Amino acid sequence: MFQIQKRLIQFLLSAFFLLPITSCSAQFSNILKQATSNPSTSEITSGLKEALEKGTGISADRLSLQDGYLKNLDVKILFPEEAKSVENTLRSLGLGSMCDQVITSLNRAAEDAAKEAKPIFTDAIKQMSFQDVQKILLGEKNAATTYFKQTTTDSLSAKFSPVIDASLKKVDATKYWSDVMTRYNKVPLVKKVNTDLTAYVTQKAIDGLFVEIAKEELKIRESVGARTSPLLQKVFGYAESQKK
């Protein structure tokens, strides 16, 4: 009889102590789950900056390859709009190869300039505040691209312009352009065209860079497969949950 009472007391005591422990354990698990599901401020900052460095780096590297601009129809640099009549006239006169030489040389200059872009984007990323990071992460699908347009266009232009100017001379673009304009201006009754070739190619090269960055931004926002690290998966998964 004494043994039975002893076992009953032990059972009641264990049940008494086990109940709050189990309850606390469940509460702790819930808190832990909640804490690990939402990234910290540090993780959000690191994750977004990792994504931006990756996206801008891929874009700059892709465009800096030979044919990076020339064979990419989204960013290929063509004759300036005010010079379309020049191209059309010369092609109608059988001088299409001369026009093609100009187009190739313009794109080669842009490809040279794209090599200078990565450090500029890296600096812009380093200077981001947490407010910038939040705004980009939870913003529109092109929020990062818009941010870079606002913060890096002037720096890109200053860096690209002398490189493009030198490259235009190196690849004989200036000569080809001069030849084209000379031939065109000999055509009776045509309106003469004056284009600042360096300024034109610089602007088009920068525009093309942002086109590619926008592609990379959309990819990482919409494709789980593009989130190549656990941190990226956590941060962009969190961003998706906040937008629902």
Side-chain angles (χ1 to χ4, degrees), residues 75-232:
V75 300
K76 182 177 181 180
I77 301 173
L78 303 173
F79 267 65
E81 197 59 42
E82 70 273 14
K84 287 291 184 185
S85 59
V86 177
E87 181 180 11
N88 294 337
T89 299
L90 294 180
R91 289 191 185 280
S92 71
L93 295 174
L95 298 172
S97 61
M98 183 180 283
C99 296
D100 292 338
Q101 283 178 324
V102 169
I103 291 171
T104 297
S105 63
L106 300 184
N107 285 275
R108 290 286 178 261
E111 289 155 13
D112 278 348
K115 297 169 187 172
E116 307 293 328
K118 284 168 79 170
I120 293 171
F121 290 123
T122 298
D123 285 344
I125 292 166
K126 285 179 180 176
Q127 292 172 27
M128 280 181 179
S129 66
F130 180 65
Q131 287 71 29
D132 294 328
V133 167
Q134 266 190 317
K135 194 180 295 185
I136 290 170
L137 182 65
L138 302 177
E140 298 297 324
K141 292 180 179 180
N142 65 341
T145 306
T146 300
Y147 177 84
F148 284 126
K149 283 181 180 179
Q150 292 169 347
T151 59
T152 66
T153 295
D154 289 345
S155 297
L156 288 169
S157 183
K159 193 75 173 178
F160 276 26
S161 186
V163 174
I164 285 174
D165 189 56
S167 185
L168 287 171
K169 292 168 185 170
K170 181 183 76 176
V171 297
D172 286 334
T174 307
K175 175 183 177 299
Y176 294 142
W177 183 255
S178 178
D179 290 346
V180 160
M181 297 313 297
T182 299
R183 293 296 296 266
Y184 176 73
N185 288 333
K186 287 181 179 178
V187 177
L189 304 177
V190 297
K191 181 182 177 182
K192 294 190 177 182
V193 173
N194 236 343
T195 296
D196 182 338
L197 211 55
T198 298
Y200 170 70
V201 177
T202 297
Q203 186 57 57
K204 297 301 286 185
I206 292 171
D207 291 346
L209 194 52
F210 288 133
V211 167
E212 294 302 295
I213 288 173
K215 289 180 187 176
E216 292 302 317
E217 179 178 6
L218 191 62
K219 191 185 298 181
I220 202 163
R221 285 188 188 276
E222 295 191 341
S223 171
V224 175
R227 302 165 193 171
T228 53
S229 74
L231 182 59
L232 291 181

Side-chain angles (χ1 to χ4, degrees), residues 43-55:
E43 286 176 318
I44 289 173
T45 302
S46 298
L48 184 78
K49 290 188 175 185
E50 179 186 331
L52 296 178
E53 287 211 34
K54 178 185 174 189

